[in-house]
Amino acid sequence: MFLAGERVRGRGRTVHALDPRTGKTLEPGYALGGAEDVDRAATAAAAAFRTFRRTTPEARAAFLDTIAATLQDRGEAVVARVQQETGIPEVRVRGELTRTANQLRLFAGVLRDGSATGVRIEPALPQRKPLPRPDLRQRRVPIGPVAVFGASNFPLAFSVAGGDTAAALAAGCPVVVKAHTSHPGTSELVGAVIAEAATEHGLPAGVFSLVFGDGREVGAALAAHPAIAAVGFTGSRSGGTALVAVAQARPVPIPVYAEMSSTNPVVLLPGALRERGAVIGEGLVASLTTSAGQLCTNPGLVLLVEGEGSGEFLESAAAAVRATPAAPMLSQAVGRAYREGVEALRTHPAVIEVATGQEDTSLAVPGTAHLFTTTAEAYATDEALHAEVFGATSLVVRVPAVADLHPLLEALEGQLTATVHVGEGDTATAAALVPVLEETVGRIVVNGWPTGVDVGAAIVHGGPFPATSDARSTSVGTLAIERFLRPVAYQDVPAGLLPAELRD
Amino acid sequence: MFLAGERVRGRGRTVHALDPRTGKTLEPGYALGGAEDVDRAATAAAAAFRTFRRTTPEARAAFLDTIAATLQDRGEAVVARVQQETGIPEVRVRGELTRTANQLRLFAGVLRDGSATGVRIEPALPQRKPLPRPDLRQRRVPIGPVAVFGASNFPLAFSVAGGDTAAALAAGCPVVVKAHTSHPGTSELVGAVIAEAATEHGLPAGVFSLVFGDGREVGAALAAHPAIAAVGFTGSRSGGTALVAVAQARPVPIPVYAEMSSTNPVVLLPGALRERGAVIGEGLVASLTTSAGQLCTNPGLVLLVEGEGSGEFLESAAAAVRATPAAPMLSQAVGRAYREGVEALRTHPAVIEVATGQEDTSLAVPGTAHLFTTTAEAYATDEALHAEVFGATSLVVRVPAVADLHPLLEALEGQLTATVHVGEGDTATAAALVPVLEETVGRIVVNGWPTGVDVGAAIVHGGPFPATSDARSTSVGTLAIERFLRPVAYQDVPAGLLPAELRD
């Protein structure tokens, strides 16, 4: 662990990462920390906050740039370790490393262009009737130390130096990361990069800590610690809602940004199916099976309007699934949950398995693709069919007619994304669907696929519960910095006492 | 009550407002509603949302303008009823009516200038390597039907057509108001204005409802109703935290914006006291006794650095308190809580009562001003002294030296405001205090007073818990519209399907 700049070995049990391709245990072992380590990290973060929040935007931007550059300098070691610990193919790991570095630089850019300062200035109007107006100026200030929970499926981009860490540091908030225990070696490598960058930039050591520990003990202790002001989390629905409960039970409740669960409905309209049903089938499976389906935006639900082209879609998708090799899943736990989810669909009386991907018994944690179908009636009446199956499995709901889409979509829980495929003659139908989708999702995609989240200024990676615990935010893109800021007004504060960005 | 445009009489017990000046019961009686009325209002709001959210900004602006104009047209009746039900003096009621109308017009302006749409556009970059960038566009959409809980101390500006209602309607969210039972007649008059304006503008009737009812029953049922997407509340800490608990226990938790409790510390620095100790004393009491001290931003805590001028401050403040006539308090409940709060200070072993205002036994609910002092040590060690006493009572903490301010300020709970009085030689001290205050408050005032909240673009009326349940927001000013909006991204959505504000 890194506790305020110091390398510390926990006093709890030792965990080893597992190579999910081979089942081989990886060295070294990592001893888990406990509540006392959380306390040390959080207390140091609170002390560091007083200094860190007053650094200039340029100082924080330079800090983020150093983290990005060093991460890439050490790319070979990081990429190798990520592959060992997660089984993610090299090309995707390299892409994720670049994305993670670019994400840090994106927030450096936000600091340099000042776009997140939230400055609003209303000069005094001493002559205003009936009452003079005071001089009022507003800006955003950092919220305080942030607890970040690393996700297993993005060991770089949603982990130790991931989006939440980058956004929090950019905001001026110290960060305490709870590493995901499925990639402790990666976490150590990345944690060292941040801790060293803090030293290099003369920042207080408490600006960054990394703890290893059990979620129910160390994770809960972190979310409950009085020095922590906000939580960023990406993971399961049960994990996220547990953290929200901890945060709400505190004497001083704090915001929790938990990204949890989404089936990412894909709506296939008649015109699109008629034009290119088979192509859409291939596209679906390509999106579905990326990273063994272990993506938050994985298309786990298809609403297929039956008619011309719907058969071609299903045949093509089924063929593509059958041709898909098994891929290693991230961990035993993820693999187990996936098998249970698949089994629940397979044994459901209203569900038909239309295709199964290739199996590979040589993998320690194999992920095999699956394609299921069910009826609109079954989907409408059985909530069990709405649950996310995290992995390369999609449930195709056969929808008799376009008119049947509305009640199905209106009954959906909150989602990260919804995708609509439109073709000739579909525009009116799609135009009526967009407002319905806006009520339920964070991002609407037309004629594309939900996987592959672009990191920029306009992206939203969020959505209504249970997609996230707070739909007012995004975990990807520049808007994410607002998670860790709040507004403060300055009334008649003389220039000498005003923060620099609020002076005339 | 108004349930989706229809006047409905509740089936519960009948309540009468009380004139707190005379103790006289006011006619008519208002029969309270129950859970069935909440269900009807919330269900109608959900149905109306589908239409209302798609109205143009101009249509909603015109709706708000009509409410503002009609409220002022009916000003005489409203002002008379408010005075009867609250005992607030006419001049303040007239000011509050103007403020309420202007607040509605302010949000109409926000709709017309488009400043809250949150538009972000990133055009496609098909040549980008390694992956092309899709066309991504972001805007804010309304969150859904909003429950608004009226406050007793601002029967117009924080009630039926108050800030939360104006912000929610501007955002495109239908509103269900739970009226405060201390001013039912005012609520009826104002509710009629909104309901009629909705009809006049051809809006669905469910866009506005007004229910009367008990907080624990009807209020909780409203916050728990599945159709409600957010809650705005101004009131007590116990009321606010109870609503947060209800909202968090829902299957789908929702945001609660509760403004609850603040002592609004005023820091008096040596230079200011030396220059104008007596003037500051008078200013404090003028702010303290406005509206019988029943303001959220009432200066209930003074940190007085002892030295030259501190005696003059205390003498002048004490004299001003003694000269203050008793004023009617809002209701029996508010008067009772105030007397209990005063009694707790009066009987506290470390607290000295230095001045008592005039009493007036002719008032049914008299509010008498009080000034107390205590020591820095007592304040630092006894949390009981940190509690808000809602009324014209201030506790002056005698602080031996400037250096003792920091630990006292750092130990404060979240506050709506902090005020610092600075004079010659105080700048360095004040500069060191500003960052400390930024961590704890929503608004910093220099050489002024916290009461008198200006309604504009730069104000923040909010702050860390327990000042509010959500420090990321404000309940006053244009930024409040963001309470009821969330971001949605549109990826590769063709122009014909894009919302108007996102087209090229």
Side-chain angles (χ1 to χ4, degrees), chain A residues 438 443 486 490-491, chain B residues 128 438 443 486 490-491:
Chain A
E438 280 171 342
R443 179 165 53 107
R486 64 178 180 83
Y490 302 76
Q491 181 170 328
Chain B
R128 193 184 64 175
E438 280 170 343
R443 178 165 54 107
R486 64 177 180 82
Y490 302 76
Q491 181 171 326

Side-chain angles (χ1 to χ4, degrees), chain B residues 18-37:
Chain B
L18 177 109
D19 188 326
R21 300 168 298 191
T22 61
K24 233 179 62 186
T25 294
L26 297 168
E27 293 300 332
Y30 289 86
L32 300 185
E36 70 281 8
D37 302 302

Side-chain angles (χ1 to χ4, degrees), chain A residues 251-275:
Chain A
V252 175
I254 57 173
V256 174
Y257 299 99
E259 189 207 314
M260 301 182 288
S261 168
S262 185
T263 59
N264 303 297
V266 174
V267 182
L268 304 181
L269 295 181
L273 289 164
R274 210 160 39 228
E275 280 171 15

Side-chain angles (χ1 to χ4, degrees), chain A residues 95-370:
Chain A
E96 190 179 331
L97 180 69
T98 306
R99 170 185 169 171
T100 306
N102 286 346
Q103 210 160 248
L104 290 153
R105 294 190 183 105
L106 184 73
F107 285 104
V110 168
L111 291 170
R112 291 192 175 110
D113 70 24
S115 55
T117 52
V119 168
R120 292 165 170 235
I121 296 184
E122 293 198 312
L125 296 175
Q127 312 303 332
R128 192 184 65 175
K129 301 285 172 202
L131 289 169
R133 182 171 82 182
D135 182 284
L136 271 165
R137 295 166 192 239
Q138 184 184 123
R139 68 159 181 163
R140 298 195 185 109
V141 301
I143 201 168
V146 172
V148 174
F149 288 75
S152 66
N153 64 336
F154 279 91
L156 300 172
F158 282 83
S159 193
V160 179
D164 275 328
T165 297
L169 293 177
C173 300
V175 169
V176 180
V177 175
K178 192 191 99 51
H180 199 286
T181 40
S182 70
H183 54 266
T186 306
S187 299
E188 183 192 5
L189 288 170
V190 178
V193 170
I194 306 178
E196 290 168 30
T199 307
E200 186 184 328
H201 286 264
L203 296 169
V207 83
F208 174 76
S209 288
L210 173 72
V211 296
F212 291 117
D214 176 74
R216 265 157 300 188
E217 280 174 44
V218 164
L222 185 55
H225 197 284
I228 295 298
V231 173
F233 169 90
T234 306
S236 68
R237 183 165 175 173
S238 59
T241 51
L243 281 176
V244 170
V246 169
Q248 284 296 328
R250 296 164 49 114
V252 175
I254 57 173
V256 174
Y257 299 99
E259 189 207 314
M260 301 182 288
S261 168
S262 185
T263 59
N264 303 297
V266 174
V267 182
L268 304 181
L269 295 181
L273 289 164
R274 210 160 39 228
E275 280 171 15
R276 53 182 200 281
V279 174
I280 294 172
E282 283 163 23
L284 172 78
V285 177
S287 173
L288 177 69
T289 57
T290 304
S291 301
Q294 301 163 114
L295 300 175
C296 327
T297 56
N298 190 44
L301 175 68
V302 177
L303 303 184
L304 172 70
V305 179
E306 292 189 297
E308 197 183 330
S310 64
E312 285 81 347
F313 161 78
L314 263 181
E315 279 163 34
S316 139
V321 162
R322 281 184 210 107
T324 301
M329 296 199 78
L330 290 159
S331 68
Q332 294 285 13
V334 169
R336 194 161 42 239
Y338 180 59
R339 286 192 302 275
E340 287 169 7
V342 167
E343 206 49 33
L345 286 174
R346 190 180 263 152
T347 56
H348 192 288
V351 172
I352 297 166
E353 180 160 18
V354 293
T356 305
Q358 293 168 26
E359 313 225 345
D360 184 346
T361 51
S362 78
L363 292 171
V365 191
T368 301
H370 295 272

Side-chain angles (χ1 to χ4, degrees), chain A residues 49-50 53-54 98 115 120-122 128 130-134 136-143 237 244 248 251-253 255-257 410 413 422 426-428 430-432 434-460 463-465 469-474 477-479 482-483 485-494 496-497 499, chain B residues 49-50 53-54 98 115 120-122 128 130-134 136-143 237 244 248 251-253 255-257 410 413 422 426-428 430-432 434-460 463-465 469-474 477-479 482-483 485-494 496-497 499:
Chain A
F49 181 50
R50 296 268 150 96
R53 67 185 297 283
R54 299 176 72 176
T98 306
S115 55
R120 292 165 170 235
I121 296 184
E122 293 198 312
R128 192 184 65 175
L131 289 169
R133 182 171 82 182
L136 271 165
R137 295 166 192 239
Q138 184 184 123
R139 68 159 181 163
R140 298 195 185 109
V141 301
I143 201 168
R237 183 165 175 173
V244 170
Q248 284 296 328
V252 175
V256 174
Y257 299 99
E410 285 167 12
E413 294 188 289
V422 299
D426 290 332
T427 301
V434 167
V436 178
L437 298 177
E438 280 171 342
E439 290 183 32
T440 306
V441 314
R443 179 165 53 107
I444 298 170
V445 181
V446 172
N447 290 348
W449 300 102
T451 49
V453 177
D454 201 77
V455 183
I459 191 75
V460 174
F465 185 92
S469 59
D470 193 330
R472 295 163 292 178
S473 181
T474 171
T478 57
L479 191 70
E482 294 186 14
R483 298 180 153 205
L485 297 168
R486 64 178 180 83
V488 170
Y490 302 76
Q491 181 170 328
D492 289 333
V493 175
L497 296 177
Chain B
F49 181 50
R50 295 270 152 97
R53 69 184 297 281
R54 299 177 71 175
T98 306
S115 55
R120 293 164 169 234
I121 296 183
E122 293 198 313
R128 193 184 64 175
L131 290 170
R133 182 171 81 180
L136 272 165
R137 298 168 190 236
Q138 185 185 122
R139 68 159 181 163
R140 297 194 185 109
V141 301
I143 200 167
R237 183 165 176 174
V244 170
Q248 284 296 328
V252 176
V256 174
Y257 299 99
E410 285 166 10
E413 293 187 288
V422 299
D426 290 332
T427 302
V434 166
V436 178
L437 298 177
E438 280 170 343
E439 289 184 31
T440 306
V441 315
R443 178 165 54 107
I444 298 171
V445 182
V446 172
N447 290 347
W449 299 103
T451 51
V453 178
D454 201 77
V455 184
I459 192 74
V460 175
F465 185 92
S469 58
D470 193 329
R472 293 163 293 177
S473 180
T474 171
T478 58
L479 191 70
E482 294 185 15
R483 298 181 154 205
L485 297 168
R486 64 177 180 82
V488 170
Y490 302 76
Q491 181 171 326
D492 289 334
V493 175
L497 297 177

